[in-house]
Amino acid sequence: MRLVDSHCHLNADRFDDDLERVVESARAGGLERLLVPGWNVRSCERALDIVGRLPALDAAVGVHPHDAAKVDDAGWARVAASARDPVVVAIGETGLDYDRVFSPIPDQLANLRRNLALALETGKPAILHCRSATGRSDGQDALLHELRAARVGGASWTAAFGARPPAVVHSFSGSVGYARAMLDLGLAVSFSGLVFRRGEEASAEVAALVPAERLLVETDSPFLAPPGAPRARNEPEWVRVTATWAATQRGMDPEALGPAFVVAYDRTFPRSRPRPAALDAD
Ligand SMILES: [Zn+2]
């Protein structure tokens, strides 16, 4: 099956000792695209280092809501400067987390706004994390409000992105209504192993309604192991579990859906530099 992983933190410490082996297993498992997002200053720099070593991979730089209060202006300036690097194909991950609230909400909002501004300025899509407090939709409601306030989908975004998605809903979590609102703004939707967790049942219906050219899958490695994957450390090759699930929701043969993931990935994250033929050909 042809596969992509639109979101894997191979820049996490847990991959220090065997990164090359993990990428080789991914390649052997059919993965043709891997996107490594940062979450703070150091992890953004590490994402760039990894793509320097393995040029078939892509990087994203941005600040996660958990780190919103920890990244100062000087740190942000470094992240924003690196966003211009041609190996960077997206801004993120950023977003809102009203579940764990590791950074105060006003800091999360300020952080989200500057990440969105950077996405608009660079023409690179924002990668959006969003979690609500248990049993609520406060995070999704606030994120939707922020995207509308930033005029995502409006004239300036259309000028910067054309028909491409201006942002990606990473590791989708939420209701069908929320998904429809995000799709109306032109966003792409990426599913992770989160879809198998209790409380995420709406994801099945959402997976059937996302247009194929905006449908992505991811692992969020080393987190969110799907059924069958090692709980201690998820890896990109396990994206096949979520990809197969997505195909099932769409009434499709997984093999037939694979090429669409590659097309959706390339449309969402276009590269300005040539891609090596195979992930291990670096
Ligand atoms: Zn992530």
Side-chain angles (χ1 to χ4, degrees), residues 205-218:
E205 190 177 335
V206 175
L209 64 85
V210 178
E213 72 275 11
R214 290 193 271 153
L215 175 68
L216 294 166
V217 283
E218 64 174 271

Side-chain angles (χ1 to χ4, degrees), residues 7 9 37 64 93 170 220 223:
H7 195 112
H9 297 291
H64 194 284
E93 64 179 288
H170 136 68
D220 203 15
F223 312 113

Side-chain angles (χ1 to χ4, degrees), residues 21-207:
R21 189 205 59 73
V22 169
V23 171
E24 170 52 29
S25 299
R27 190 206 62 78
L31 273 85
E32 299 180 22
R33 307 284 187 268
L34 292 168
L35 175 53
V36 181
W39 61 89
N40 60 13
V41 179
R42 180 165 174 268
S43 61
C44 288
E45 287 170 352
R46 289 182 54 146
L48 294 179
D49 288 346
I50 287 171
V51 176
R53 272 156 62 198
L54 301 167
L57 277 56
D58 296 305
V61 297
V63 176
H64 194 284
H66 290 341
D67 291 280
K70 294 179 212 145
V71 174
D72 62 12
D73 288 347
W76 172 252
R78 282 161 69 186
V79 170
S82 68
R84 272 89 187 163
D85 192 306
V87 308
V88 171
V89 299
I91 305 303
E93 64 179 288
T94 188
L96 296 173
D97 196 310
Y98 285 17
D99 180 25
R100 286 165 285 181
V101 201
F102 290 159
S103 281
I105 286 171
D107 294 312
Q108 293 191 34
L109 290 167
N111 177 63
L112 170 64
R113 288 168 192 160
R114 64 184 179 185
N115 277 266
L116 287 174
L118 185 60
L120 176 58
E121 198 181 313
T122 57
K124 298 178 181 182
I127 297 176
L128 302 172
H129 166 108
C130 191
R131 296 286 179 276
S132 290
T134 308
R136 302 189 59 184
S137 63
D138 47 359
Q140 284 90 355
D141 294 346
L143 181 59
L144 201 47
H145 175 83
E146 288 297 316
L147 296 179
R148 287 175 175 149
R151 303 245 179 279
V152 171
S156 55
W157 290 81
T158 305
F161 287 87
R164 291 186 291 124
V168 178
V169 183
H170 136 68
S171 194
F172 180 84
S173 171
S175 68
V176 175
Y178 167 69
R180 285 191 197 281
M182 290 305 215
L183 290 171
D184 285 348
L185 293 176
L187 272 62
V189 178
S190 184
F191 294 97
S192 71
L194 196 61
V195 301
F196 299 103
R197 305 243 176 123
R198 202 179 320 163
E200 302 294 344
E201 291 76 13
S203 297
E205 190 177 335
V206 175

Side-chain angles (χ1 to χ4, degrees), residues 235-259:
E235 294 183 22
E237 63 177 296
W238 293 97
V239 79
R240 69 173 180 271
V241 177
T242 304
T244 301
W245 168 89
T248 303
Q249 308 318 315
R250 297 170 78 87
M252 283 182 78
D253 175 2
E255 293 289 337
L257 188 56

